[in-house]
Amino acid sequence: MKAELQFIFIVKKMEDSMLLRAMLMMAGYDKKLMTSVYRWRDGVERAAAGNGKCLLFMDKAFAQDEPDYEGKVRELALEMPIILVEDAGAANQADSEVIELGVQEVLSLREITSNYLAKAVQHAVERHQMRQQIRETALVDTLTGLYNRRGFVKRAEQAVAVATRLNMSVVVLFMDVDHMKWVNDTLGHQEGDVLLLEAANVLRTVFRSTDVIGRLGGDEFAVLLLRQQESAGQRATGRLQAALHKYNSKRKLSYPLSLSIGQAECLKGQTIDLEALLAQADENMYKAKKTKRGQAPSFVADGGDDFREDKGEE
């Protein structure tokens, strides 16, 4: 851990930074991985650009004159462990308020040793990792292992920010598993769960690990893709349909795995509205669903090769 962990000090006084550096170096940490920043906004920007392996020391004194202090602390605490430091005085009851923001520890610089600081760092990292694991579990659908609705939206928002920065197109596919009611009513809900798992596995195989895939609830799935080319949505839909056809040719069950698919695309340079894209893709999915109503599920008996598809650019 010591070889990877980077430290960012957002402090008002140079002597506080020097003290933190000296104690961490005595504990075996590399000074080359330590960065000091003395302006609040510069420090927040530096921390936000971290690679996930940072630990942030933040001067508690900034709370007195920075209006966005609490909000930024809460936001950064989701991404990295934070230890608040104060120049003098023992921790008091008011410190419980900043702990609630996600801060791992509040330390008085004048009352700690190098050994104590090293233990505080270790505990802060461990507690932060535990919190991340809990949050990640809350974002995952327990049946399929894909993101649940909350997890999908969270990851999709992050992907949209990347697309805006890199000027990429965004594609959303919204899918509904066909004949779920027939399967549940005729074969039982356990067989319905098997169908949902099969759908999730096909989506994992067709799309890249960098694409955002989620089960939004019930029999509804969604995928968000970032691409450089236009018309990526049509190509993605075509690949998925081809994958389903090949997959069905190898299934031993008496009904096919079928998805109704709707798509929406925001081209490069356009303002990306994730909520609007999801709504448009959902609407287009229901239009596709209507064309299938009244059709009974039937076995797909023709042969085919393995359904794995090329994951290159559409």
Side-chain angles (χ1 to χ4, degrees):
M1 184 200 310
K2 290 185 178 181
E4 298 179 351
L5 191 61
Q6 301 178 35
F7 297 95
I8 300 176
F9 310 129
I10 308 179
V11 293
K12 285 194 169 185
K13 300 177 181 179
M14 183 180 295
E15 54 265 35
D16 290 345
S17 171
M18 294 175 64
L19 180 60
L20 286 168
R21 285 174 179 267
M23 286 193 288
L24 289 170
M25 288 169 60
M26 289 178 62
Y29 290 97
D30 188 349
K31 67 177 181 179
K32 295 180 181 178
L33 300 179
M34 304 178 193
T35 302
S36 298
V37 183
Y38 302 102
R39 293 177 54 186
W40 167 251
R41 296 195 179 279
D42 291 345
V44 169
E45 291 177 4
R46 178 69 64 89
N51 61 3
K53 297 180 180 179
C54 297
L55 185 142
L56 180 62
F57 283 95
M58 186 177 294
D59 195 332
K60 191 179 175 184
F62 282 114
Q64 300 173 2
D65 48 17
E66 296 294 339
D68 61 344
Y69 181 83
E70 289 191 3
K72 287 300 180 182
V73 170
R74 191 187 301 275
E75 181 180 325
L76 290 170
L78 294 174
E79 305 299 331
M80 65 191 68
I82 297 178
I83 295 177
L84 284 188
V85 295
E86 51 190 357
D87 184 55
N92 52 57
Q93 287 187 337
D95 293 333
S96 62
E97 298 178 2
V98 295
I99 295 295
E100 291 179 358
L101 300 178
V103 172
Q104 301 295 344
E105 192 98 38
V106 181
L107 302 177
S108 172
L109 285 178
R110 308 308 169 192
E111 298 179 4
I112 60 174
T113 63
S114 175
N115 184 54
Y116 185 91
L117 181 60
K119 289 182 179 180
V121 167
Q122 180 181 350
H123 293 162
V125 171
E126 291 173 352
R127 286 195 296 267
H128 178 72
Q129 290 174 341
M130 186 179 301
R131 286 184 180 180
Q132 282 189 313
Q133 290 172 359
I134 293 172
R135 283 196 296 269
E136 287 298 323
T137 300
L139 300 179
V140 174
D141 174 54
T142 55
L143 176 64
T144 64
L146 300 176
Y147 287 122
N148 57 23
R149 177 179 289 273
R150 179 183 174 190
F152 177 85
V153 171
K154 179 179 177 65
R155 298 305 184 216
E157 289 174 344
Q158 294 172 348
V160 165
V162 172
T164 301
R165 187 170 67 250
L166 300 181
N167 192 29
M168 302 178 73
S169 296
V170 175
V171 176
V172 171
L173 301 183
F174 204 103
M175 292 147 287
D176 184 273
V177 180
D178 297 327
H179 312 304
M180 273 297 297
K181 186 177 187 303
W182 179 89
V183 172
N184 285 330
D185 293 348
T186 307
L187 304 176
H189 287 273
Q190 185 174 357
E191 191 65 26
D193 287 347
V194 171
L195 193 61
L196 293 172
L197 283 168
E198 288 183 319
N201 289 335
V202 169
L203 293 176
R204 283 194 186 94
T205 306
V206 172
F207 297 102
R208 307 173 185 174
S209 60
T210 53
D211 298 329
V212 184
I213 310 173
R215 179 190 174 203
L216 303 190
D219 56 1
E220 293 182 337
F221 295 83
V223 180
L224 183 140
L225 312 86
L226 306 186
R227 296 293 185 266
Q228 292 291 351
Q229 291 88 350
E230 295 183 3
S231 302
Q234 294 179 357
R235 285 189 283 271
T237 300
R239 282 177 38 240
L240 178 55
Q241 290 172 334
L244 288 168
H245 178 79
K246 291 183 179 181
Y247 183 75
N248 282 318
S249 71
K250 296 183 177 296
R251 291 174 85 241
K252 296 181 180 180
L253 299 177
S254 59
Y255 60 92
L257 171 61
S258 175
L259 300 177
S260 293
I261 307 169
Q263 69 176 60
E265 185 168 358
C266 184
L267 302 180
K268 292 188 291 185
Q270 297 179 337
T271 301
I272 304 171
D273 185 332
L274 178 59
E275 186 175 348
L277 279 174
L278 283 168
Q280 182 182 347
D282 187 18
E283 181 180 349
N284 291 337
M285 181 275 291
Y286 274 103
K287 290 179 181 178
K289 192 87 169 176
K290 285 182 180 179
T291 65
K292 298 181 180 181
R293 284 182 178 168
Q295 300 177 9
S298 58
F299 177 60
V300 179
D302 55 322
D305 298 327
D306 184 83
F307 77 101
R308 288 181 178 271
E309 292 291 310
D310 178 15
K311 297 183 184 179
E313 285 287 343
E314 289 90 349

